[in-house]
Amino acid sequence: MASDGYIVPARKGVRHYYGDTVRVLFVSSAVLLVIAATTDADLPLSMIGAVAWAVVLVVAAGITNPEQGWIHFANEAIAIVGTLVFATSAIGHWRAGAGIFDSTYLFVEIIALLSLLSLYFTTKTIRGALLRPHLS
């Protein structure tokens, strides 16, 4: 029961909705990105680009919900861009001889993996939404 006397309905689970997972992955990526920029890691983005991308991730995470289908397509685009940018950078650092414990390589690789996981879970959410067209 809410403090003002109204009953708050129990949250219903939506089948094939992974927005909560994507939200955690996006916020985790944003936090890691800001930490990496603060520690002067060699990111594939400028300082303002890293902060702007962190803001985009956090805003998308904040908007994500099962009732608005359009946000999942935006999340898909964000996850694709993040995967392409950070995975290619991680591969480039590795091929240039970065060790597994090199801080730049670790930051970029972890962000790439978080982006890839976000892409997977967003794709599953979109697939589920297309299977239940009443949530457009």
Side-chain angles (χ1 to χ4, degrees):
M1 215 156 157
S3 61
D4 57 4
Y6 292 102
I7 296 174
V8 178
R11 183 175 174 185
K12 295 185 293 185
V14 178
R15 290 187 62 195
H16 303 294
Y17 172 71
Y18 299 94
D20 295 338
T21 303
V22 172
R23 186 178 303 114
V24 169
L25 292 168
F26 276 4
V27 171
S28 299
S29 295
V31 168
L32 194 59
L33 189 56
V34 170
I35 292 170
T38 303
T39 61
D40 208 26
D42 184 21
L43 298 173
L45 303 169
S46 66
M47 180 188 60
I48 191 72
V51 173
W53 191 250
V55 168
V56 166
L57 288 167
V58 169
V59 168
I63 295 173
T64 299
N65 68 80
E67 299 299 323
Q68 294 175 310
W70 66 269
I71 188 61
H72 305 299
F73 291 98
N75 288 350
E76 184 90 350
I78 291 167
I80 288 169
V81 170
T83 300
L84 291 173
V85 168
F86 289 98
T88 56
S89 179
I91 293 167
H93 279 84
W94 183 258
R95 288 184 177 170
I100 192 135
F101 296 112
D102 177 68
S103 63
T104 293
Y105 172 74
L106 280 176
F107 280 126
V108 175
E109 182 69 25
I110 292 169
I111 294 169
L113 294 174
L114 291 172
S115 298
L116 191 62
L117 287 170
S118 299
L119 180 59
Y120 172 73
F121 286 111
T122 301
T123 301
K124 285 181 62 114
T125 297
I126 291 172
R127 183 196 67 200
L130 293 175
L131 293 176
R132 50 184 163 75
H134 66 282
L135 280 182
S136 54

